[in-house]
Amino acid sequence: MIEDLMVIKQRYYEYLWRNVEDAEEYLPLLQNEGDLYRWSDLNCQDSNTANWQGHTFLNRTRLVLQRYGRDMDKELFDKLAGAFRYWLKHDFQNTNWWYMQIGVPSALCDLTIMLEDELTEEELDKAVSIIQRGSFSHNQHAYNMTGANLIWGVWTTVKHALLVQDCELLKKAVDRASYEFEIADGLKEGVKPDYSFFQHGPQHYTMGYGRSFTESLSPMVYILSGTEYQFSKEILKLLVDFLLEGQVYMIRNGTVDYLAIGREYCRPEAYTSIAIRRAAELYSKTSSIPRKANLEAFITAYDNGTPYIKETKFFEDSLVLTHQRQNFYISIKGLNNTLIGSESLNGENILGYNLSYGTNMCFLSTGKEYENMPAVWDYSMMPGTTSYIESEQDVLNRLNIWNSKIGLNDKCYASIKNGKGAMTMDFDNRDMLTGTVTYIVFDEGVIVLGTNICCHKQNNDKEIWTTINQCVLEDNFNVQADGNVITNGSFLYINLDPERKLEYTYAKVTGSWRRNNKNIPTETVAVDVLKIGISHGTSPKGSKFSYAVIDASKKLEVENIVNTPLIQGVEFG
């Protein structure tokens, strides 16, 4: 057993010292602190609970070590080892349990394995005492966690076992992970039967916590390969299927669908899908891995900037429809009274009200359509939603009525056949605004039919809009057909209701990511923003709309549209 453990430890040691992206920008920030070193721009005693600089300190130290490798200049190596010792000396604390039980023990374990030969026995003992806070050896809570949180705990325990050469602890960690690796039926957290992912209750987090799940597991799968601790073939298949049948459906040109990452959409770094590509590569290097050819095909497509998926899929557990073709990606997020629409936590997503009741949409082609949009979005007008146009303070005031709550509607279902299909749902925005929306997807794009839009609030004075999109204004923006057809980027927006017209505005908007994430510094960005929608006035009683969003290089051929409370449908030419 110890021989296999040592093989695994050496593999992980080599993996940790892999070359990573450039990190030269950080070197001038490494400054002397007595006989030790620290990153001068990071305050490890800050009280931020979602973006703690004390955790960033450890991650940056590891990143720079990886960037310059084991053959780096001795002076630089000693400085980086001094930064590790500086953190170890102070053992910085944060009130967020995640950092204390997951983030810090994991990052500290990586650094300790990398620097083990340079550390004194006293330093090793202190590092291990901190690592134990997140290890199954001393933390029963970590053992009992679920989903991505559990996998982080498993990973810390695996690394702890490698560090102290404890075969029984390593087996305990692998066995606990293996027990968790099953399809999570019903409303349980984890990988769902449709290969989406729940975390924090029945909540769609496939590329949020689900991405962390895959990112954490892939190197573990790799280093355990071919030893007595390796995962079973059934588990390997589940992990690969989750990536290939779930996560890759929510990626376009390296960009993650903002509807698939939960509250993480208000983090600037959350939009890259490179972690999924790296996971696929590690899986493909693992012995006995299933579907190796598919993994390699995904990697090739990713690196070439071409879509690996050109299909339509309805994730019936998460009520999400993804529709991808050569030139575009469209997704629709539904909801019903069994699922949580959205959450706000640790100062993040405080403006997420209009992401909490479904009907949300995402339109991608280049992957840049929503670049920096969370910093400047009018959060009362999220893509796809029918909502009140109101002030940011009004949106913020709604936080308690939607946060982490299940939907109020019971109808949301879909039928997909041969790459085409339909999804329909009722919506209730929790403030007396209701309606029914049906989405019909086909090779050219999507047709959206809304009916029975009703405001039940007396004396409402706020305009009600169906926002088709709120995105980056592209150079080819053009309005035709008396305002009924709008071109922007790779998409054509077409009004299909002769009683309605497309409304649009565009302007350069200045904002900050901090508006919706209080853990981010106040740095302003400016974006040319386009809003396209349909107005229902202030007191709709049975209002309706119909529009199409299609590939701008295609034509729409529709013979007939039926859009009533009883029947919604399209007859194509």
Side-chain angles (χ1 to χ4, degrees):
M1 293 179 72
I2 190 65
E3 291 82 5
D4 275 356
L5 183 147
M6 297 308 295
V7 168
I8 295 166
K9 183 177 181 180
Q10 182 61 31
R11 281 182 188 165
Y12 191 57
Y13 178 80
E14 298 290 340
Y15 172 77
L16 282 173
W17 278 106
R18 70 196 185 281
N19 192 24
V20 297
E21 62 266 25
D22 292 344
E24 289 90 345
E25 62 186 287
Y26 298 123
L27 292 184
L29 302 173
L30 188 58
Q31 295 187 0
N32 181 260
E33 181 79 12
D35 59 343
L36 302 176
Y37 286 83
R38 68 180 181 88
W39 301 106
S40 61
D41 63 320
L42 298 178
N43 174 18
C44 294
Q45 300 183 61
D46 84 301
S47 58
N48 195 313
T49 57
N51 191 25
W52 181 41
Q53 294 181 32
H55 187 234
T56 304
F57 189 105
L58 294 173
N59 287 336
R60 183 186 294 176
T61 304
R62 179 183 58 202
L63 178 72
V64 178
L65 279 167
Q66 291 172 326
R67 173 64 185 90
Y68 289 95
R70 285 168 286 184
D71 298 328
M72 76 179 75
D73 177 84
K74 186 177 186 306
E75 181 181 358
L76 175 58
F77 180 85
D78 288 345
K79 288 181 179 180
L80 292 168
F84 170 78
R85 291 186 170 101
Y86 171 82
W87 202 104
L88 195 64
K89 175 183 177 180
H90 293 280
D91 186 12
F92 296 104
Q93 303 289 305
N94 188 274
T95 58
N96 186 340
W97 73 270
W98 188 92
Y99 287 117
M100 296 296 93
Q101 297 185 40
I102 294 177
V104 165
S106 179
L108 197 68
C109 203
D110 285 348
L111 286 166
T112 304
I113 290 173
M114 296 175 80
L115 300 172
E116 184 176 5
D117 293 341
E118 306 296 322
L119 303 179
T120 67
E121 184 175 347
E122 181 182 359
E123 289 169 338
L124 276 171
D125 288 344
K126 184 167 185 181
V128 168
S129 71
I130 297 172
I131 292 164
Q132 287 172 346
R133 297 170 189 166
S135 172
F136 295 168
S137 64
H138 291 70
N139 188 333
Q140 185 63 33
H141 170 68
Y143 186 87
N144 293 331
M145 289 187 291
T146 61
N149 287 333
L150 171 65
I151 299 309
W152 283 319
V154 168
W155 217 172
T156 297
T157 307
V158 166
K159 292 185 283 189
H160 177 210
L162 297 179
L163 186 62
V164 300
Q165 299 181 24
D166 187 333
C167 296
E168 291 302 316
L169 184 59
L170 177 58
K171 184 176 186 303
K172 182 178 182 179
V174 174
D175 287 349
R176 179 66 184 95
S178 298
Y179 178 78
E180 183 72 10
F181 294 153
E182 61 180 8
I183 294 296
D185 293 323
L187 302 179
K188 292 188 295 185
E189 295 181 357
V191 179
K192 308 305 295 178
D194 63 3
Y195 298 108
S196 62
F197 192 92
F198 282 179
Q199 190 82 35
H200 290 181
Q203 185 175 183
H204 175 42
Y205 258 114
T206 306
M207 291 298 287
Y209 284 100
R211 171 173 49 189
S212 298
F213 179 91
T214 297
E215 185 177 22
S216 297
L217 276 169
S218 53
M220 194 189 310
V221 166
Y222 170 69
I223 66 171
L224 297 177
S225 173
T227 72
E228 64 180 288
Y229 300 97
Q230 71 179 356
F231 293 120
S232 69
K233 291 182 179 180
E234 292 77 15
I235 288 174
L236 294 178
K237 183 177 186 306
L238 186 151
L239 298 178
V240 171
D241 285 348
F242 175 48
L243 187 151
L244 291 174
E245 302 301 327
Q247 293 177 307
V248 301
Y249 279 80
M250 301 173 191
I251 295 170
R252 177 72 185 187
N253 278 353
T255 299
V256 174
D257 178 351
Y258 76 93
L259 296 175
I261 54 181
R263 74 178 194 278
E264 296 178 27
Y265 79 94
C266 58
R267 302 176 188 174
E269 73 277 7
Y271 288 80
T272 176
S273 58
I274 189 63
I276 304 303
R277 189 250 181 252
R278 290 170 179 161
E281 183 174 12
L282 284 171
Y283 284 157
S284 71
K285 293 179 178 178
T286 301
S287 61
S288 303
I289 201 73
R291 306 185 65 181
K292 183 175 181 179
N294 297 106
L295 291 166
E296 292 174 341
F298 164 67
I299 294 167
T300 298
Y302 190 100
D303 292 347
N304 291 337
T306 58
Y308 171 70
I309 294 295
K310 303 172 189 175
E311 301 175 9
T312 304
K313 180 172 181 177
F314 179 61
F315 293 84
E316 59 183 345
D317 293 292
S318 293
L319 301 181
V320 168
L321 187 150
T322 64
H323 181 56
Q324 190 155 189
R325 295 294 185 267
Q326 180 67 34
N327 295 333
F328 67 83
Y329 169 100
I330 297 171
S331 74
I332 306 153
K333 186 181 113 177
L335 191 69
N336 65 14
N337 53 15
T338 66
L339 302 184
I340 294 171
S342 189
E343 69 172 350
S344 175
L345 190 64
N346 297 326
E348 296 180 312
N349 193 30
I350 58 177
L351 297 173
Y353 163 58
N354 286 302
L355 288 167
S356 71
Y357 53 89
T359 71
N360 306 102
M361 301 188 73
C362 175
F363 302 94
L364 295 172
S365 180
T366 65
K368 303 293 186 181
E369 283 78 6
Y370 300 103
E371 189 170 26
N372 279 322
M373 285 301 299
V376 298
W377 256 331
D378 178 342
Y379 281 92
S380 74
M381 304 172 70
M382 296 301 290
T385 61
T386 299
S387 58
Y388 300 109
I389 299 179
E390 55 191 358
S391 71
E392 189 159 300
Q393 187 60 49
D394 285 338
V395 176
L396 183 60
N397 290 343
R398 298 180 185 276
L399 179 59
N400 291 332
I401 73 168
W402 64 265
N403 186 14
S404 300
K405 291 182 171 61
I406 63 172
L408 297 179
N409 59 299
D410 60 359
K411 185 179 84 172
C412 183
Y413 45 84
S415 176
I416 305 297
K417 185 176 181 180
N418 298 326
K420 303 177 180 64
M423 171 178 169
T424 187
M425 69 167 290
D426 295 332
F427 74 88
D428 185 326
N429 81 334
R430 302 183 187 276
D431 192 14
M432 306 181 77
L433 185 58
T434 62
T436 299
V437 187
T438 293
Y439 309 86
I440 297 168
V441 294
F442 53 104
D443 285 338
E444 287 73 30
V446 61
I447 290 176
V448 185
L449 307 177
T451 188
N452 204 26
I453 309 298
C454 295
C455 177
H456 307 279
K457 185 185 297 187
Q458 292 186 355
N459 302 317
N460 173 55
D461 61 356
K462 297 176 180 177
E463 186 176 3
I464 296 166
W465 251 47
T466 294
T467 302
I468 301 173
N469 207 357
Q470 185 184 179
C471 59
V472 174
L473 178 71
E474 304 282 0
D475 291 339
N476 69 337
F477 172 75
N478 185 37
V479 180
Q480 300 172 326
D482 297 326
N484 285 307
V485 178
I486 294 175
T487 302
N488 190 60
S490 300
F491 292 100
L492 204 62
Y493 302 85
I494 305 170
N495 175 42
L496 299 175
D497 188 337
E499 298 180 5
R500 301 287 173 191
K501 66 175 182 177
L502 297 184
E503 309 277 354
Y504 65 91
T505 64
Y506 56 86
K508 184 176 290 294
V509 181
T510 301
S512 168
W513 287 81
R514 186 175 174 80
R515 294 166 54 223
N516 200 24
N517 185 344
K518 295 307 178 185
N519 305 289
I520 293 178
T522 305
E523 297 179 0
T524 59
V525 298
V527 181
D528 291 320
V529 176
L530 172 65
K531 298 176 183 176
I532 304 174
I534 295 170
S535 175
H536 302 282
T538 59
S539 304
K541 303 295 182 185
S543 183
K544 61 180 181 176
F545 62 82
S546 56
Y547 66 84
V549 183
I550 67 170
D551 180 344
S553 67
K554 306 292 185 181
K555 292 183 178 181
L556 180 65
E557 297 182 1
V558 172
E559 292 287 339
N560 188 37
I561 293 175
V562 179
N563 187 20
T564 73
L566 294 178
I567 301 175
Q568 291 178 292
V570 174
E571 181 182 355
F572 290 97

